[in-house]
Structures are given as structure tokens and as C-alpha cells.
Amino acid sequence: MTAAFPARSSARAGRADSPWIRRWNEASASRLTLICLPHAGGSAGFYRPWAALMPPEVELVAIQYPGREDRFDDPESAGMGELVTAVADAVLPLLDRPYALFGHSMGSAVAWELAHELDRRQAPGPRRLFASGRAAPGTAVTGHLHRQDDDVLCAELARLGGTSREVLDDPGLRSLVLTAVRHDYRIIETHRPEARPPLSCPIHVLTGDADPELGERRSRAGAGGWADLTTARTEVRVFPGDHFYLTPRRREVVATVLRRMDPSLTTDARRTWPSTP
């Protein structure tokens, strides 16, 4: 760790000022942090329902990419490197206690790159990396959807699920959604990860049993290529559902994440669960 790394007493000062950071649960009693990275076209708000499922010991932090919602006018990142550098700058003050990274789809690649960028800066590494809905960087199938017209992009969103038909049928909402989707697809489809030493933290792969993004590679043995990216163990958890399995299976997903972060958290989290999904 470098001498310039912030001490615990001041590390979290000003954390609410970053346009990249969103938090919804009280963190005064927290001893762990869960940092969540959205999918292509997604926003930090995708993880907001998770806040009600968090025990007091865990602070939920979600990353807000530029070019969407309240950051619609902020300049988009030129590529994965620029995106990850900015995210690392934003999360550094939050690493004064153990943390885990959770990324869904494109977010899993961002999480992996972020772990390496934080290691390059000699910052504390994650306790766990949760990779959801995407094969490992360098092995995931990519295409050129960011160059296609709106109808092709809409068909892709329909294939993956997670975007309501009402949104895609509304010209104004459709334009906003597709702007963010096209930008993020450009980042992930042009991402060419560098060869690096493997991480040292466990990687937990989560996926839906009908998710077209992993297909046959979702097996425990295959792990979507993620097992090759760490010297620690790799686990695979398959849930019923498609690419956005984690919406209807929210409680199960959060319970799985908490249990892997710290087995003592699961029971406490269940006490906070609301009666409605």
C-alpha cells in the first residue's frame, strides 16, 4: 500500500460528492462494502432494490456510468481503460474496509479490470469478485452491435430480456436507452484485455440457466473461463432464468453474495427482507 493511501479516519470523507457513486443504505455500522457495476445500458439504479436486503454490516455502493439518468450530459468514456480509471478514482476512498466487487454482464468485465487497476495502484484488493451473466474477459464472444441500427439493438435487448416492451415502444425513452446501450456496447465490444497475472481473490460466477450469454460454458467445470483468471477457487451458481435472472431471483442472489462475503451475514439479511419482492 502506498503512503499516500487515505487513512481510515478520513478515507470516506466526501464520498457522496462523486458523480460515480450511489448509496442507499445507512453505512454507520458497516464493516464490509459491496461495490456493484451495471450491465451495458444499465445504471446504478438497477441495484437500488438490493439496499432493502442489506444487513447493517454491509454498505451497498453502485457505480453510475456517464451518459444516463442524472449523468446524461456527462461525457462518455472513450473506452474501457478510461472508464476503469475513473471508477478506480471514485472508489479508492471507500476501500478502508474489506469489500467485494459484483458486476453483471459488461459490469463483470469492468469489475475484473477494476480489480487489476486497484492492484496496480497498490490499493487493497477485493475479498471476492462476483461475475454475473458473462464469460471471462478475453473469452466472451463479442460482435459489432454498437455499429448496427436501432432496430437491431432493440432486437438484441429483447433477446436478453430486462428491458420492457413499453420502454422500447416509446420513442423518447427508446432513444435514451439506445444511446446508453450503444455507448456501452462499443466499450465492451472493443475491449481487448491485456495479459496479466491472475487475481488472488476467489471468483464466484453467477448465471441463469437460460442465459444465452454463457450457454454450455456455465458448467461448474467450465466457469465461463473465469477459473483461469485467479489463483484462488472459482465457484459457479446457476439460477433459474435468462440473462436478467437476478431481477426475479433478487433475494436468492443477494443471499448468495452475502454468504460468500461472510457466512454470518445471511441470517441477519433475511431479517431485513421486505414482504414484497
Side-chain angles (χ1 to χ4, degrees), residues 1-247:
M1 186 182 300
T2 61
F5 196 77
R8 172 176 286 271
S9 60
S10 61
R12 309 181 83 78
R15 62 187 173 181
D17 297 333
S18 172
W20 295 85
I21 302 296
R22 298 293 180 274
R23 295 160 26 256
W24 299 284
N25 64 328
E26 174 57 47
S28 59
S30 300
R31 57 182 175 83
L32 300 168
T33 303
L34 177 61
I35 301 173
C36 297
L37 299 119
H39 54 281
S43 66
F46 180 76
Y47 294 103
R48 184 166 188 168
W50 288 28
L53 308 181
M54 290 292 128
E57 294 90 345
V58 180
E59 179 183 19
L60 176 67
V61 172
I63 301 301
Q64 184 77 303
Y65 304 144
R68 68 216 64 209
E69 293 189 342
D70 58 334
R71 298 197 65 194
F72 186 78
D73 293 328
D74 289 354
E76 300 170 338
S77 301
M80 181 67 80
E82 182 177 306
L83 175 65
V84 170
T85 296
V87 173
D89 291 342
V91 303
L92 272 174
L94 308 180
L95 307 185
D96 58 327
R97 60 194 181 199
Y99 70 97
L101 300 175
F102 183 102
H104 178 60
S105 198
M106 167 182 154
S108 67
V110 179
W112 179 77
E113 289 282 359
L114 177 60
H116 281 287
E117 174 62 16
L118 293 173
D119 179 69
R120 186 188 69 79
R121 300 186 188 196
Q122 297 182 292
R127 174 176 286 193
R128 298 282 191 278
L129 191 155
F130 297 91
S132 170
R134 187 171 178 82
T139 68
V141 176
T142 59
H144 303 283
L145 284 166
H146 68 285
R147 298 178 180 174
Q148 304 300 317
D149 61 29
D150 288 356
D151 289 340
V152 173
L153 277 184
C154 282
E156 173 66 6
L157 296 181
R159 181 181 77 93
L160 295 176
T163 306
S164 70
R165 190 72 253 175
E166 289 78 9
V167 168
L168 296 179
D169 287 342
D170 182 296
L173 292 176
R174 169 176 159 143
S175 176
L176 291 175
V177 169
L178 293 185
T179 296
V181 168
R182 194 181 302 280
H183 165 253
D184 291 351
Y185 270 47
R186 177 179 58 79
I187 286 180
I188 197 63
E189 289 180 337
T190 59
H191 178 219
R192 301 294 180 266
E194 300 176 10
R196 299 186 182 94
L199 298 172
S200 58
C201 65
I203 295 179
H204 304 277
V205 182
L206 294 79
T207 180
D209 60 6
D211 186 350
E213 291 297 283
L214 282 181
E216 296 178 356
R217 303 186 64 194
R218 69 171 59 91
S219 70
R220 293 182 183 276
W226 286 101
D228 296 330
L229 302 185
T230 181
T231 57
R233 69 182 184 277
T234 303
E235 298 180 359
V236 178
R237 174 71 189 273
V238 181
F239 297 85
D242 57 18
H243 189 59
F244 285 95
Y245 71 92
L246 65 176
T247 298

